[in-house]
Amino acid sequence: MSSLTLIPSPPHHNLSSHAHLHRYPHPPMAIIRHLNLPHLNLRHHRRRYLSVAAALRQDTSVWTQAPLSEVQPAAEELFHVSIDVSDSPDLVASHTRPGQYLQLRLPDAEKPAFLAIASSPSVSASKGQFEFLVKSVAGSTAELLCGLRRGDVVELSQVMGRGFDIGQISPPEEYPTVLIFATGSGISPIRSVIESGFSARKRSDVRLYYGARNLRRMAYQDRFKEWESSGVKVVPVFSQPDDRWEGEHGYVQAAFARAKQTYNPLSTGALLCGQKQMAEEVTSLLVANGVSMEKILKNF
């Protein structure tokens, strides 16, 4: 694999814009609604019961104020965003698995943004902060967020989602091969998985196929050495590389299809996050080679 040269950070967007959002007073404090449920016959109404339970577990009527601690460029159109949640221990404690997400809202935005948490649960707990990789999309809540400054206050929902159940591909001795696929900002929850630790060193073949348009669009380059030292081989794949790039090119699924397939499908697990077509095609390749669907963990 061609060695990677870290690139300078792209020009910082004007973070002084939207300064009127700074510490807005008295946001609406929602009231938890108590549902008075009739007696349920679980045999005949199990589906209804589970849907109600899921709604209760992921209640977004409760929002927590928290200040930004960092907004910095991560790559072209991507930003590192850190939020101080040290005053909200219950919110921090609700982050239990890599791959979980939450909603973030701002007073000037119509809709909240859904953001995957990039930091591992242990780091979130020890530092009292949530870290995110945010793509700035024109006209979106994410764009407003990327234009804020340190100290500006946002509102966060409770942490949601089941995340990646690494227990499905454990113990490492039984699943020595773990294939990881990510595109664009989909690397965010994958970072959480890698830095949470899933005994990669005890596995013989852990590969991360990470797709982006080019080197300028690829976040977390400064973490690649750390990931490699933890046992994860990083395979960058560029769909529009420049002439100097000698590594993998095209799409992630094509790069994986070209690779020599020497793994045992019965002892292989996979994690996927990112573009839908990539996930579908990679899943088809894995299943065709005999990997169980139960061992293909997806996060979108």
Side-chain angles (χ1 to χ4, degrees):
M1 181 179 71
S2 174
S3 60
L4 292 180
T5 302
L6 297 183
I7 58 173
S9 296
H12 201 310
H13 287 202
N14 182 7
L15 296 185
S16 64
S17 62
H18 310 294
H20 58 285
L21 296 177
H22 183 72
R23 297 197 179 281
Y24 55 89
H26 310 302
M29 298 301 292
I31 300 173
I32 300 176
R33 297 179 178 87
H34 296 278
L35 298 181
N36 193 2
L37 298 176
H39 175 70
L40 295 176
N41 184 327
L42 294 183
R43 180 177 236 174
H44 298 96
H45 302 283
R46 185 171 181 270
R47 183 174 296 177
R48 179 184 173 192
Y49 173 81
L50 291 176
S51 66
V52 171
L56 287 171
R57 284 196 306 270
Q58 299 191 354
D59 183 12
T60 56
S61 64
V62 178
W63 295 84
T64 300
Q65 287 184 291
L68 298 176
S69 52
E70 180 186 28
V71 181
Q72 294 292 335
E76 267 186 13
E77 299 183 0
L78 294 171
F79 284 77
H80 294 297
V81 175
S82 297
I83 300 177
D84 183 355
V85 289
S86 57
D87 290 337
S88 307
D90 289 345
L91 181 59
V92 175
S94 66
H95 183 207
T96 58
R97 275 185 182 173
Q100 290 180 299
Y101 63 94
L102 50 69
Q103 294 186 62
L104 178 149
R105 69 181 184 184
L106 301 171
D108 281 10
E110 266 186 49
K111 299 179 180 179
F114 286 82
L115 302 176
I117 303 173
S119 47
S120 68
S122 60
V123 167
S124 295
S126 63
K127 291 186 176 181
Q129 68 179 24
F130 288 155
E131 299 174 19
F132 305 91
L133 180 66
V134 182
K135 183 176 181 179
S136 180
V137 178
S140 70
T141 300
E143 182 186 37
L144 291 176
L145 172 62
C146 294
L148 297 182
R149 300 177 301 174
R150 175 186 174 92
D152 287 337
V153 173
V154 298
E155 286 190 316
L156 305 177
S157 74
Q158 290 295 299
V159 175
M160 302 175 172
R162 296 177 58 188
F164 287 109
D165 184 3
I166 301 301
Q168 295 272 25
I169 53 174
S170 297
E173 294 79 12
E174 293 183 15
Y175 296 93
T177 298
V178 176
L179 304 169
I180 309 173
F181 304 88
T183 54
S185 58
I187 193 65
S188 181
I190 296 300
R191 173 198 155 190
S192 184
V193 171
I194 294 172
E195 297 182 4
S196 291
F198 62 107
S199 303
R201 288 192 185 91
K202 295 182 179 180
R203 306 178 195 260
S204 58
D205 180 17
V206 180
R207 278 174 274 161
L208 165 62
Y209 289 87
Y210 177 14
R213 183 176 297 178
N214 51 47
L215 198 60
R216 297 186 303 278
R217 295 287 186 96
M218 181 162 277
Y220 297 146
Q221 295 176 39
D222 58 333
R223 295 180 176 271
F224 287 174
K225 286 185 179 179
E226 179 185 340
W227 294 355
E228 296 250 8
S229 68
S230 74
V232 180
K233 180 183 178 181
V234 181
V235 183
V237 184
F238 297 131
S239 60
Q240 297 178 19
D242 62 30
D243 294 337
R244 295 171 294 174
W245 178 248
E246 298 178 355
E248 291 289 348
H249 60 277
Y251 293 111
V252 163
Q253 55 269 39
F256 175 62
R258 288 193 297 267
K260 186 177 180 182
Q261 306 300 339
T262 58
Y263 60 86
N264 178 354
L266 299 180
S267 57
T268 295
L271 290 81
L272 293 81
C273 189
Q275 204 263 348
K276 183 179 179 181
Q277 182 178 349
M278 176 276 290
E280 290 176 348
E281 293 184 15
V282 167
T283 298
S284 295
L285 287 168
L286 293 172
V287 171
N289 285 337
V291 178
S292 169
M293 279 291 293
E294 293 181 354
K295 307 304 178 185
I296 302 175
L297 313 181
K298 300 180 183 180
N299 189 285
F300 300 99

